[in-house]
């Protein structure tokens, strides 16, 4: 045998051995860090009642990219803006779909919506439609008359309640009712009868509570029979049946309504959608099922998120009297003696805007955004991520990341002065409305609802805590659940302010 070959054998063997070792090591490295699991349930028990807080704590031990096993489902949890940036830049479309579960199937009206629909042509067309015809800045502007009317009712109610009893008003309840009524009106118009309003509010309530319902099938497909046994299946079927009947009662008997605003016809969402059904230039056939899905999205994705943010804003104002004064001074300056702040003035309210930004940095109302799922295998941080891995982004943790925010736990709106940081999805460490192709299309819509309500609540009233309650008594913990509203209800004493 060739002596060179003989001499090469041990060298080649050595290299093969090295290669094998490196491969074994790289396979070891390829396992995304993961907290220890329990048999069967995996890491489900570690989610706790406030998952964004539990996941933040877990990420401190296991790192910014963790793999959890939630029942039968692999779930990647990202707690670092850098990793989200990598995912969005390289794999936004790979992770563009939502996990399909029994619950999301029902909420999406059988995949005919935007928020829970799988990625594809249907979702793309619906999102485009919502952006162009329902939530565009032009459309949002055209509905300012509805906001002004509902806001006047809220302010009247506050004034009315103040004059009764001990002067304490249940502000959380009032804000919830204001946002619900306003968004309902924007969707359906002002024509619906009291009887239909009651049906509608039952439906809104059922839809929002259903979001918190856990089905066995959604975590353990083999245990779907338990949903039947526990009556959850029946509950879901009743919900969809009642929902469809409510829609039929409201939509089918609906009378077209439009209002002339500044010489242009302004229509509520339902009228716009019914008009679009007859519009051949739309590019696709808008069915009754699509309309149902879109309207459900506006209820589920729009009402609680907007209300929770407004409630956090009022809470932070009361906790920070100096900031309340700054907001008030700014309002007085731009109002020029007017009783109410109009939407045309919002652009001048620099302090109010940075104040709201600081609120959503610390209290994003969808702290874990909405889960996504991979459509194919991909790589993140050098790890191989298989198809059908769920992705959860902890945006709540981003707002508290010391590498991006100075003294992150401090409430300091001034940090946004002289800074271009915004929540529109470009700054990966500030993404309360999400990021990438699944970003929230309702951002402008909700911000104007929040800004105009906050401006007028502060302009028209001086707010204080009821006697015997101090700022230290204000608990800042969130409710359990998907939407992060404040657990403690806000009860305050308003006194009508002197505008001049
Ligand atoms: C303060 C108020 C709001 C917040 C914080 C918020 C936040 C979010 C977040 C975090 C997502 C998921 C984004 C992602 O997966 O990356 C989302 C999606 C969505 N939001 Fe909002 N939202 C708000 C208001 C609204 C309003 C008022 C509407 C409509 C009237 C709306 C409609 C939607 C829809 C349709 C989606 C699904 C988008 C998709 O899957 O492509 N949102 N929102």
């Amino acid at each position: 045998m060739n002596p060179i070959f003989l001499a090469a054998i041990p060298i080649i063997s050595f290299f093969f051995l090295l290669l094998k070792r490196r491969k074994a090591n790289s396979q070891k490295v390829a396992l995304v860090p993961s907290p220890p699991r329990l048999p069967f349930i995996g890491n489900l028990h570690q989610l706790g009642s406030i998952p964004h807080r539990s996941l933040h704590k877990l990420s401190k031990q296991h790192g910014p990219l963790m793999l959890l096993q939630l029942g039968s489902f692999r779930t990647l949890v990202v707690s670092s803006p850098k990793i989200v940036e990598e995912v969005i830049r390289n794999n936004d479309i790979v992770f563009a779909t939502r996990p399909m579960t029994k619950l999301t199937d029902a909420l999406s009206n059988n995949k005919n919506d935007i928020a829970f629909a799988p990625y594809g042509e249907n979702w793309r067309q619906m999102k485009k439609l919502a952006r162009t015809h329902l939530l565009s800045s032009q459309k949002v502007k055209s509905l300012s008359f509805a906001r002004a009317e509902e806001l006047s009712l809220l302010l009247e109610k506050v004034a009315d309640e103040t004059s009764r009893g001990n002067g304490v008003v249940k502000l959380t309840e009032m804000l919830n009712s204001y946002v619900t009524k306003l968004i309902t009106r924007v969707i359906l118009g002002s024509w619906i009868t009291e009887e239909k309003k009651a049906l509608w509010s039952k439906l809104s309530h059922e839809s929002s509570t259903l979001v918190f319902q856990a089905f066995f099938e959604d975590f353990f497909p083999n245990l779907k029979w338990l949903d039947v046994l526990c009556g959850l299946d029946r509950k879901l079927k009743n919900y969809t049946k009642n929902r469809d009947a409510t829609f039929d009662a409201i939509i089918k008997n609906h009378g077209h309504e439009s209002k002339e605003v500044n010489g242009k016809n302004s229509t509520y969402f339902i009228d716009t959608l019914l008009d679009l059904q007859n519009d051949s230039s739309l590019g696709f056939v808008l069915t009754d099922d699509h309309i149902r899905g879109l309207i459900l999205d506006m209820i589920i994705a729009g009402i609680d998120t907007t209300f929770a943010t407004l409630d956090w804003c009022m809470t932070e104002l009361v906790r920070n009297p100096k900031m309340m004064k700054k907001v008030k001074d700014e309002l007085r300056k731009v109002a020029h003696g007017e009783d109410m702040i109009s939407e045309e003035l919002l652009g001048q309210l620099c302090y109010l805007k940075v104040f709201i930004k600081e609120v959503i940095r610390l209290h994003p109302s969808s702290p874990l955004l909405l889960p996504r799922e991979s459509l194919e295998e991909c790589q993140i941080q050098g790890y191989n991520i298989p198809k059908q891995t769920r992705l959860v982004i902890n945006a709540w943790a981003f707002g508290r990341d010391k590498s991006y925010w100075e003294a992150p736990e401090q409430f300091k709106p001034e940090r946004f002065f002289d800074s271009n940081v915004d929540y529109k999805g470009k700054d990966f460490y500030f993404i309360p409305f999400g990021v990438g192709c699944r970003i929230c299309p309702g951002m402008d819509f909700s911000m104007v609802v929040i800004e105009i309500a906050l401006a007028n609540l502060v302009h028209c009233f001086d707010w204080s805590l009821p006697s015997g309650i101090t700022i230290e008594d204000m608990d800042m913990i969130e409710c359990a659940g998907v939407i992060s509203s404040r657990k403690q209800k806000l009860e305050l004493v308003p006194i009508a302010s002197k505008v001049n």
Side-chain angles (χ1 to χ4, degrees):
M1 202 176 281
N2 186 334
I4 298 176
F5 184 66
L6 276 177
I9 286 178
I11 299 170
I12 291 171
S13 311
F14 176 67
F15 272 111
F16 262 106
L17 209 74
L18 258 186
L19 214 67
K20 213 172 153 190
R21 270 215 160 153
R22 277 190 65 177
K23 201 169 167 204
N25 278 345
S26 74
Q27 267 165 0
K28 218 160 145 202
V29 172
L31 294 176
V32 181
S34 184
R37 299 163 187 178
L38 289 179
F40 192 59
I41 61 168
N43 304 100
L44 263 181
H45 62 295
Q46 286 165 310
L47 289 184
S49 60
I50 308 183
H52 55 272
R53 286 186 184 261
S54 314
L55 292 175
H56 183 46
K57 231 172 165 177
L58 270 183
S59 75
K60 298 234 174 263
Q61 285 174 325
H62 300 279
L65 185 69
M66 289 186 296
L67 186 68
L68 302 190
Q69 189 68 31
L70 301 181
S72 303
F73 298 98
R74 252 188 333 268
T75 308
L76 265 187
V77 180
V78 176
S79 306
S80 138
K82 252 203 170 94
I83 302 179
V84 165
E85 182 169 0
E86 182 195 323
V87 173
I88 297 302
R89 292 209 192 284
N90 302 339
N91 290 305
D92 192 20
I93 299 304
V94 171
F95 276 101
T97 203
R98 303 276 190 214
M100 277 329 287
T101 66
K102 182 186 261 180
L103 183 60
T104 58
D105 223 31
L107 293 175
S108 67
N109 191 36
N110 203 13
K111 307 179 185 65
N112 282 305
D113 78 327
I114 306 170
F116 305 104
Y119 177 71
E121 197 47 31
N122 207 27
W123 165 80
R124 214 192 325 269
Q125 293 284 10
M126 296 283 273
K127 192 151 185 180
K128 189 169 153 210
L129 181 154
R131 279 192 159 138
T132 321
H133 298 281
L134 306 178
L135 301 167
S136 66
S137 42
Q138 209 182 356
K139 181 77 173 180
V140 170
K141 214 165 167 194
S142 78
L143 290 161
S144 66
F145 71 92
R147 285 187 292 275
E149 284 169 24
E150 293 300 328
L151 189 56
S152 295
L153 293 175
L154 169 69
L155 298 174
E156 264 170 40
K157 199 168 168 199
V158 172
D160 198 36
E161 296 274 313
T162 316
S163 56
R164 284 190 217 162
N166 55 3
V168 178
V169 300
K170 294 186 170 176
L171 192 63
T172 293
E173 264 179 33
M174 286 186 179
L175 297 180
N176 196 344
S177 146
Y178 157 72
V179 174
T180 309
K181 277 195 195 152
L182 173 58
I183 295 189
T184 297
R185 175 172 176 182
V186 164
I187 296 171
L188 294 180
S190 52
W191 63 276
I192 57 172
T193 59
E194 286 307 314
E195 183 202 355
K196 295 213 170 103
K197 266 189 194 153
L199 270 179
W200 175 264
S201 100
K202 191 164 165 271
L203 170 70
S204 306
H205 180 69
E206 276 178 10
S207 307
S208 330
T209 41
L210 202 67
V211 177
F212 300 108
Q213 184 72 63
F215 288 85
F216 284 100
E217 186 182 335
D218 290 345
F219 292 98
F220 312 102
N222 292 338
L223 292 186
K224 62 178 177 191
W225 53 272
L226 271 173
D227 290 330
V228 181
L229 204 70
C230 298
L232 294 174
D233 244 29
R234 192 163 24 87
K235 199 169 153 189
L236 193 62
K237 274 187 192 134
N238 284 344
Y239 160 77
T240 41
K241 202 169 131 202
N242 290 340
R243 177 194 72 195
D244 294 351
T246 305
F247 271 107
D248 284 350
I250 294 176
I251 296 171
K252 294 232 167 104
N253 304 318
H254 162 269
H256 198 285
E257 190 180 11
S258 71
K259 184 160 176 140
E260 202 173 295
V261 183
N262 298 334
K264 284 189 187 151
N265 253 358
S266 176
T267 51
Y268 295 111
F269 288 180
I270 182 72
D271 300 299
T272 309
L273 290 168
L274 292 174
D275 285 347
L276 285 170
Q277 276 195 314
N278 303 317
D279 184 344
S280 54
S281 66
L282 192 61
F284 76 106
V285 180
L286 183 68
T287 64
D288 284 355
D289 266 340
H290 286 133
I291 295 187
R292 220 179 266 174
L294 277 167
I295 290 180
L296 268 171
D297 266 7
M298 306 293 150
I299 305 174
I300 296 168
I303 295 180
D304 287 352
T305 45
T306 307
F307 146 69
T309 308
L310 189 53
D311 194 56
W312 281 116
C313 285
M314 281 305 289
T315 304
E316 288 290 7
L317 275 176
V318 174
R319 257 167 47 102
N320 295 286
K322 281 188 186 152
M323 296 177 196
M324 174 83 93
K325 184 170 178 319
K326 274 191 185 173
V327 173
K328 227 172 165 57
D329 289 348
E330 183 180 63
L331 289 163
R332 186 161 302 181
K333 221 160 133 191
V334 305
H336 294 297
E338 291 294 324
D339 289 345
M340 275 192 70
I341 304 290
S342 65
E343 287 188 6
E344 289 78 62
L345 299 178
L346 289 179
Q348 298 176 41
L349 300 174
C350 303
Y351 190 75
L352 184 91
K353 283 179 193 282
V354 295
F355 179 87
I356 297 173
K357 270 188 178 176
E358 183 68 342
V359 169
I360 54 181
R361 176 183 73 84
L362 284 172
H363 312 290
S365 54
S366 294
L368 298 175
L369 311 184
L370 284 176
R372 294 180 172 215
E373 191 175 283
S374 57
L375 290 159
E376 58 189 62
E377 192 183 310
C378 66
Q379 282 225 329
I380 301 178
Q381 297 273 291
Y383 296 110
N384 278 337
I385 308 298
K387 184 177 168 177
Q388 282 186 335
T389 301
R390 294 181 179 180
L391 177 76
V392 168
I393 297 171
N394 195 346
W396 182 87
F398 294 8
R400 286 164 166 75
D401 193 324
K402 280 198 205 87
S403 339
Y404 297 88
W405 306 98
E406 195 196 311
E409 294 295 338
Q410 265 180 38
F411 189 85
K412 225 169 76 180
E414 290 75 12
R415 72 174 77 239
F416 287 104
F417 275 141
D418 302 322
S419 136
N420 292 327
V421 175
D422 212 341
Y423 44 72
K424 310 240 161 145
K426 296 267 183 298
D427 300 300
F428 291 95
Y429 53 101
F430 187 37
I431 51 167
F433 291 96
V435 68
C437 66
R438 282 288 190 164
I439 198 167
C440 175
M443 227 181 287
D444 292 350
F445 180 100
S446 58
M447 284 317 274
V448 70
V449 172
I450 293 165
E451 284 175 9
I452 197 63
L454 201 61
N456 280 292
L457 284 166
V458 177
H459 185 59
C460 300
F461 298 97
D462 294 325
W463 297 90
S464 57
L465 287 165
S467 81
I469 311 251
T470 64
I471 289 173
E472 287 67 40
D473 296 324
M474 295 177 81
D475 193 346
M476 298 301 276
I477 201 77
E478 308 88 297
C479 286
V482 188
I483 304 290
S484 185
S485 50
R486 184 169 167 255
K487 190 170 180 186
Q488 199 179 55
K489 305 277 177 271
L490 201 52
E491 296 196 355
L492 295 178
V493 180
I495 296 177
S497 32
K498 293 189 181 68
V499 170
N500 292 303

